[in-house]
Amino acid sequence: MRIGILNGGGDCAGLNSVTRAVLKAAESKGDTVVGVLEGWNGLMEGKFKQIKFSHFEGLIGSGGTALSTSRTNPLKKPGGLATVERNLKKAKIDALIAVGGDDTLGVATKLSERGFKVVGVPKTIDNDLAGTDYSFGFFTAVDEAMRMLESLATTGRSHGRVMVVEVMGRDAGWISAFAGLAAGANMILVPEFETSPDDVVSLVKSRYRNGQRSALIVVAEGVKLSYDDGKIQKDEFGHPLLAKAAGENNASFLARYIEKEAKVETRATVLGHTIRGTAPNAYDRIMTTMLGYKAVEALHSGRAGVMVAVHGTKVVEVPLAEGSRKKYMDRATWELVSGMFG
Ligand code: F6P
């Protein structure tokens, strides 16, 4: 077989490790692997690179993606999928491994429905894919965010300040919740369940009344606190482009509000992309190795149209269309998270 592999959407830790595992499994079965550059853009414009295990052997612990990525959506271009199919044919690619989040895997689902052999691999720091317990990249991002939250809490305690920290998570609050729990945050705001700025002010006031002269407040980027005036530039999937977003971020809005209402010194930090480009932790290295290996096995067993997924300690296959749907925080998790506020 000649297998293509692409990385779509935001980068995360473990992308090179997946490619490495795919190459190992494929070469051991006598397959060749073609790297598609720049995600779906590479399939729109015919950008490929012949890759071998030897190129990726040393990359298990590297961040980012050696294949590069993009947020190009062929479904938004006239005749986009037909162009993709034409370029796959030209490059003599028999099957595709698409590594991405819901956007990338949404395109992969459509391609698979038109008869091309595709296997999806769930990747996103946001952990918002329904078919898998965890997407790779998530726990590395959580580790990184946790370390920075602890550092910010330390300086907050030293100065008697409230520290408000915004972390990524476009639609779901998994990163803020897990990193916040792990760092012992006093309050966490997620998009799925409402916490008002006044709830934050009440908590801050009560802490300072009780002599706890600091607070760590974590807010997910996807929480809609005050702004979205319709002028924010969107990518081709309709999501706000963070770097270009006009207006105030959640952290600075909340910090201003707390200072005004609770009358305590407050600082705002946006962790943003800092948690995304780091080296994969051990869990993500192992998970990506299992996922990459199993993706090739699925293709060899003739089971395309699936997403390889983590269920407990096992890697299983789920239908691509179902697996790549959005996963939001459930009430039981929220009860645990909010039960730790204080
Ligand atoms: O890939 C997911 C994510 O990291 C989101 O948490 C965030 O909203 C978005 O990507 C940022 O995208 P970009 O890197 O294109 O600004």
Side-chain angles (χ1 to χ4, degrees):
M1 241 191 289
R2 201 166 143 82
I3 301 172
I5 178 167
L6 74 77
N7 299 161
D11 70 311
C12 75
L15 283 164
N16 294 329
S17 174
V18 174
T19 307
R20 180 181 180 273
V22 163
L23 284 160
K24 185 72 178 169
E27 287 178 11
S28 74
K29 293 179 194 304
D31 298 333
T32 51
V33 180
V34 182
V36 178
L37 306 178
E38 300 170 21
W40 291 112
N41 193 46
L43 280 174
M44 293 294 293
E45 297 184 359
K47 295 182 178 170
F48 304 107
K49 189 176 174 181
Q50 197 71 46
I51 51 173
K52 292 203 164 67
F53 178 72
S54 57
H55 303 145
F56 281 75
E57 187 175 9
L59 298 189
I60 190 165
S62 66
T65 161
L67 292 178
S68 64
T69 184
S70 73
R71 291 197 182 274
T72 301
N73 182 357
L75 304 178
K76 288 280 157 75
K77 318 267 181 211
L81 275 186
T83 308
V84 165
E85 286 164 335
R86 229 181 4 260
N87 282 323
L88 283 165
K89 202 166 173 194
K90 255 199 228 159
K92 298 190 170 48
I93 294 174
D94 306 307
L96 182 69
I97 296 179
V99 185
D102 60 320
D103 293 331
T104 304
L105 298 181
V107 180
T109 303
K110 292 279 177 258
L111 189 63
S112 154
E113 285 166 0
R114 287 161 66 114
F116 198 82
K117 283 187 216 145
V118 190
V119 168
V121 180
K123 164 245 67 158
T124 164
I125 63 165
D126 288 359
N127 193 39
D128 56 355
L129 286 169
T132 188
D133 290 354
Y134 298 110
S135 52
F136 78 82
F138 170 63
F139 274 112
T140 300
V142 167
D143 280 350
E144 198 67 9
M146 174 194 76
R147 272 191 289 274
M148 290 194 251
L149 289 175
E150 282 181 329
S151 156
L152 291 164
T154 302
T155 159
R157 274 192 297 274
S158 305
H159 287 262
R161 288 171 176 159
V162 176
M163 303 303 283
V164 182
V165 192
E166 180 177 319
V167 298
M168 277 192 171
R170 191 173 53 201
D171 305 306
W174 296 106
I175 308 174
S176 51
F178 276 44
L181 278 182
N186 302 107
M187 195 171 241
I188 303 165
L189 285 76
V190 300
E192 292 93 331
F193 297 94
E194 200 179 323
T195 310
S196 78
D198 290 324
D199 297 332
V200 184
V201 169
S202 303
L203 176 121
V204 167
K205 280 184 173 167
S206 107
R207 283 184 62 78
Y208 278 72
R209 254 198 322 272
N210 296 337
Q212 295 148 306
R213 287 181 52 260
S214 71
L216 175 64
I217 312 294
V218 182
V219 55
E221 161 205 357
V223 170
K224 298 274 180 298
L225 275 177
S226 67
Y227 66 88
D228 188 354
D229 60 3
K231 290 186 208 132
I232 294 172
Q233 264 185 282
K234 307 269 167 83
D235 71 9
E236 289 176 355
F237 291 94
H239 307 307
L241 287 168
L242 274 191
K244 294 179 192 156
E248 202 173 11
N249 59 57
N250 282 335
S252 71
F253 171 82
L254 255 188
R256 237 179 354 98
Y257 195 78
I258 294 165
E259 272 202 340
K260 185 163 147 269
E261 301 296 324
K263 310 221 170 350
V264 289
E265 206 180 356
T266 305
R267 292 289 185 270
T269 307
V270 178
L271 297 186
H273 293 81
T274 58
I275 64 169
R276 221 170 66 181
T278 187
N281 65 11
Y283 180 74
D284 279 329
R285 293 181 199 201
I286 304 300
M287 198 204 289
T288 47
T289 301
M290 286 163 70
L291 291 168
Y293 196 87
K294 293 283 187 179
V296 175
E297 266 192 0
L299 285 177
H300 268 269
S301 314
R303 294 189 300 273
V306 296
M307 179 180 96
V308 286
V310 177
H311 285 187
T313 55
K314 300 264 180 300
V315 170
V316 300
E317 292 166 19
V318 297
L320 192 47
E322 284 170 36
S324 56
R325 281 202 319 265
K326 278 268 181 205
K327 175 175 70 187
Y328 297 101
M329 186 174 297
D330 52 287
R331 187 157 288 280
T333 305
W334 175 242
E335 276 167 15
L336 166 72
V337 172
S338 53
M340 297 303 291
F341 291 178

